[in-house]
mmCIF file of all heavy atoms in Angstrom:
data_model
loop_
_atom_site.group_PDB
_atom_site.id
_atom_site.type_symbol
_atom_site.label_atom_id
_atom_site.label_comp_id
_atom_site.label_asym_id
_atom_site.label_seq_id
_atom_site.Cartn_x
_atom_site.Cartn_y
_atom_site.Cartn_z
ATOM 1 N N VAL A 1350 -12.913 -1.002 10.454
ATOM 2 C CA VAL A 1350 -12.086 -0.113 11.272
ATOM 3 C C VAL A 1350 -12.365 -0.377 12.740
ATOM 4 O O VAL A 1350 -13.504 -0.570 13.137
ATOM 5 C CB VAL A 1350 -12.400 1.362 10.943
ATOM 6 C CG1 VAL A 1350 -11.632 2.294 11.838
ATOM 7 C CG2 VAL A 1350 -12.132 1.641 9.470
ATOM 8 N N SER A 1351 -11.294 -0.384 13.564
ATOM 9 C CA SER A 1351 -11.501 -0.559 15.004
ATOM 10 C C SER A 1351 -10.549 0.316 15.811
ATOM 11 O O SER A 1351 -9.393 0.467 15.449
ATOM 12 C CB SER A 1351 -11.312 -2.025 15.399
ATOM 13 O OG SER A 1351 -9.992 -2.431 15.161
ATOM 14 N N ALA A 1352 -11.042 0.883 16.855
ATOM 15 C CA ALA A 1352 -10.297 1.578 17.905
ATOM 16 C C ALA A 1352 -9.161 2.500 17.458
ATOM 17 O O ALA A 1352 -8.006 2.276 17.782
ATOM 18 C CB ALA A 1352 -9.756 0.550 18.898
ATOM 19 N N PRO A 1353 -9.471 3.588 16.737
ATOM 20 C CA PRO A 1353 -8.423 4.563 16.432
ATOM 21 C C PRO A 1353 -7.856 5.139 17.726
ATOM 22 O O PRO A 1353 -8.588 5.348 18.695
ATOM 23 C CB PRO A 1353 -9.151 5.660 15.656
ATOM 24 C CG PRO A 1353 -10.427 5.053 15.197
ATOM 25 C CD PRO A 1353 -10.759 3.987 16.196
ATOM 26 N N HIS A 1354 -6.542 5.363 17.753
ATOM 27 C CA HIS A 1354 -5.953 6.025 18.914
ATOM 28 C C HIS A 1354 -4.882 6.996 18.438
ATOM 29 O O HIS A 1354 -4.315 6.833 17.364
ATOM 30 C CB HIS A 1354 -5.401 5.022 19.927
ATOM 31 C CG HIS A 1354 -4.289 4.169 19.408
ATOM 32 N ND1 HIS A 1354 -4.517 3.044 18.629
ATOM 33 C CD2 HIS A 1354 -2.952 4.275 19.553
ATOM 34 C CE1 HIS A 1354 -3.355 2.497 18.322
ATOM 35 N NE2 HIS A 1354 -2.393 3.213 18.858
ATOM 36 N N GLN A 1355 -4.658 8.021 19.233
ATOM 37 C CA GLN A 1355 -3.731 9.069 18.847
ATOM 38 C C GLN A 1355 -2.486 9.020 19.709
ATOM 39 O O GLN A 1355 -2.557 8.944 20.934
ATOM 40 C CB GLN A 1355 -4.393 10.445 18.974
ATOM 41 C CG GLN A 1355 -3.548 11.558 18.382
ATOM 42 C CD GLN A 1355 -4.284 12.884 18.351
ATOM 43 O OE1 GLN A 1355 -5.230 13.096 19.093
ATOM 44 N NE2 GLN A 1355 -3.848 13.767 17.480
ATOM 45 N N THR A 1356 -1.334 9.048 19.041
ATOM 46 C CA THR A 1356 -0.058 9.190 19.739
ATOM 47 C C THR A 1356 0.282 10.673 19.716
ATOM 48 O O THR A 1356 -0.541 11.492 19.290
ATOM 49 C CB THR A 1356 1.057 8.372 19.043
ATOM 50 O OG1 THR A 1356 1.284 8.916 17.742
ATOM 51 C CG2 THR A 1356 0.681 6.900 18.938
ATOM 52 N N ARG A 1357 1.465 11.009 20.101
ATOM 53 C CA ARG A 1357 1.863 12.414 20.129
ATOM 54 C C ARG A 1357 1.739 13.090 18.761
ATOM 55 O O ARG A 1357 1.333 14.239 18.658
ATOM 56 C CB ARG A 1357 3.294 12.513 20.637
ATOM 57 C CG ARG A 1357 3.803 13.922 20.708
ATOM 58 C CD ARG A 1357 5.183 13.923 21.262
ATOM 59 N NE ARG A 1357 5.077 14.188 22.689
ATOM 60 C CZ ARG A 1357 6.098 14.315 23.475
ATOM 61 N NH1 ARG A 1357 7.307 14.138 23.006
ATOM 62 N NH2 ARG A 1357 5.934 14.582 24.745
ATOM 63 N N SER A 1358 2.080 12.347 17.691
ATOM 64 C CA SER A 1358 2.107 12.992 16.381
ATOM 65 C C SER A 1358 1.315 12.271 15.291
ATOM 66 O O SER A 1358 1.354 12.688 14.142
ATOM 67 C CB SER A 1358 3.556 13.129 15.924
ATOM 68 O OG SER A 1358 4.137 11.850 15.797
ATOM 69 N N THR A 1359 0.603 11.194 15.631
ATOM 70 C CA THR A 1359 -0.067 10.398 14.604
ATOM 71 C C THR A 1359 -1.323 9.730 15.145
ATOM 72 O O THR A 1359 -1.352 9.278 16.274
ATOM 73 C CB THR A 1359 0.882 9.268 14.111
ATOM 74 O OG1 THR A 1359 2.101 9.846 13.686
ATOM 75 C CG2 THR A 1359 0.289 8.480 12.982
ATOM 76 N N TRP A 1360 -2.352 9.653 14.301
ATOM 77 C CA TRP A 1360 -3.469 8.768 14.571
ATOM 78 C C TRP A 1360 -3.068 7.406 14.031
ATOM 79 O O TRP A 1360 -2.562 7.303 12.913
ATOM 80 C CB TRP A 1360 -4.730 9.221 13.836
ATOM 81 C CG TRP A 1360 -5.453 10.353 14.500
ATOM 82 C CD1 TRP A 1360 -5.394 11.668 14.158
ATOM 83 C CD2 TRP A 1360 -6.351 10.260 15.600
ATOM 84 N NE1 TRP A 1360 -6.191 12.398 14.988
ATOM 85 C CE2 TRP A 1360 -6.796 11.552 15.893
ATOM 86 C CE3 TRP A 1360 -6.813 9.207 16.385
ATOM 87 C CZ2 TRP A 1360 -7.677 11.830 16.909
ATOM 88 C CZ3 TRP A 1360 -7.699 9.480 17.399
ATOM 89 C CH2 TRP A 1360 -8.124 10.780 17.661
ATOM 90 N N ILE A 1361 -3.320 6.353 14.785
ATOM 91 C CA ILE A 1361 -3.078 4.994 14.316
ATOM 92 C C ILE A 1361 -4.426 4.282 14.335
ATOM 93 O O ILE A 1361 -5.094 4.224 15.362
ATOM 94 C CB ILE A 1361 -2.061 4.256 15.200
ATOM 95 C CG1 ILE A 1361 -0.732 5.007 15.156
ATOM 96 C CG2 ILE A 1361 -1.896 2.805 14.743
ATOM 97 C CD1 ILE A 1361 0.309 4.488 16.113
ATOM 98 N N VAL A 1362 -4.802 3.761 13.163
ATOM 99 C CA VAL A 1362 -6.108 3.141 13.027
ATOM 100 C C VAL A 1362 -5.947 1.698 12.532
ATOM 101 O O VAL A 1362 -5.535 1.476 11.395
ATOM 102 C CB VAL A 1362 -6.995 3.923 12.040
ATOM 103 C CG1 VAL A 1362 -8.401 3.340 12.020
ATOM 104 C CG2 VAL A 1362 -7.027 5.410 12.385
ATOM 105 N N PRO A 1363 -6.248 0.712 13.387
ATOM 106 C CA PRO A 1363 -6.232 -0.680 12.940
ATOM 107 C C PRO A 1363 -7.436 -0.953 12.035
ATOM 108 O O PRO A 1363 -8.545 -0.503 12.312
ATOM 109 C CB PRO A 1363 -6.359 -1.492 14.229
ATOM 110 C CG PRO A 1363 -6.136 -0.520 15.340
ATOM 111 C CD PRO A 1363 -6.487 0.827 14.818
ATOM 112 N N VAL A 1364 -7.182 -1.688 10.955
ATOM 113 C CA VAL A 1364 -8.242 -2.007 10.005
ATOM 114 C C VAL A 1364 -8.044 -3.446 9.524
ATOM 115 O O VAL A 1364 -6.920 -3.871 9.283
ATOM 116 C CB VAL A 1364 -8.195 -1.060 8.778
ATOM 117 C CG1 VAL A 1364 -9.325 -1.366 7.815
ATOM 118 C CG2 VAL A 1364 -8.238 0.399 9.188
ATOM 119 N N ARG A 1365 -9.141 -4.173 9.393
ATOM 120 C CA ARG A 1365 -9.095 -5.505 8.762
ATOM 121 C C ARG A 1365 -9.713 -5.364 7.384
ATOM 122 O O ARG A 1365 -10.786 -4.787 7.233
ATOM 123 C CB ARG A 1365 -9.854 -6.540 9.578
ATOM 124 C CG ARG A 1365 -9.075 -6.899 10.833
ATOM 125 C CD ARG A 1365 -9.448 -8.215 11.422
ATOM 126 N NE ARG A 1365 -8.947 -9.382 10.732
ATOM 127 C CZ ARG A 1365 -7.696 -9.856 10.812
ATOM 128 N NH1 ARG A 1365 -6.799 -9.231 11.522
ATOM 129 N NH2 ARG A 1365 -7.364 -10.956 10.172
ATOM 130 N N CYS A 1366 -9.003 -5.909 6.420
ATOM 131 C CA CYS A 1366 -9.464 -5.850 5.039
ATOM 132 C C CYS A 1366 -9.338 -7.239 4.446
ATOM 133 O O CYS A 1366 -8.219 -7.752 4.311
ATOM 134 C CB CYS A 1366 -8.622 -4.853 4.262
ATOM 135 S SG CYS A 1366 -9.114 -4.696 2.556
ATOM 136 N N GLU A 1367 -10.482 -7.845 4.152
ATOM 137 C CA GLU A 1367 -10.494 -9.184 3.584
ATOM 138 C C GLU A 1367 -9.631 -10.136 4.418
ATOM 139 O O GLU A 1367 -8.772 -10.842 3.904
ATOM 140 C CB GLU A 1367 -10.068 -9.133 2.127
ATOM 141 C CG GLU A 1367 -11.075 -8.378 1.277
ATOM 142 C CD GLU A 1367 -10.471 -7.658 0.092
ATOM 143 O OE1 GLU A 1367 -9.305 -7.895 -0.242
ATOM 144 O OE2 GLU A 1367 -11.188 -6.838 -0.491
#
Side-chain angles (χ1 to χ4, degrees):
V1350 176
S1351 64
H1354 63 279
Q1355 189 173 22
T1356 65
R1357 180 178 264 183
S1358 62
T1359 305
W1360 281 100
I1361 299 173
V1362 186
V1364 182
R1365 287 201 76 78
C1366 180
E1367 294 149 12

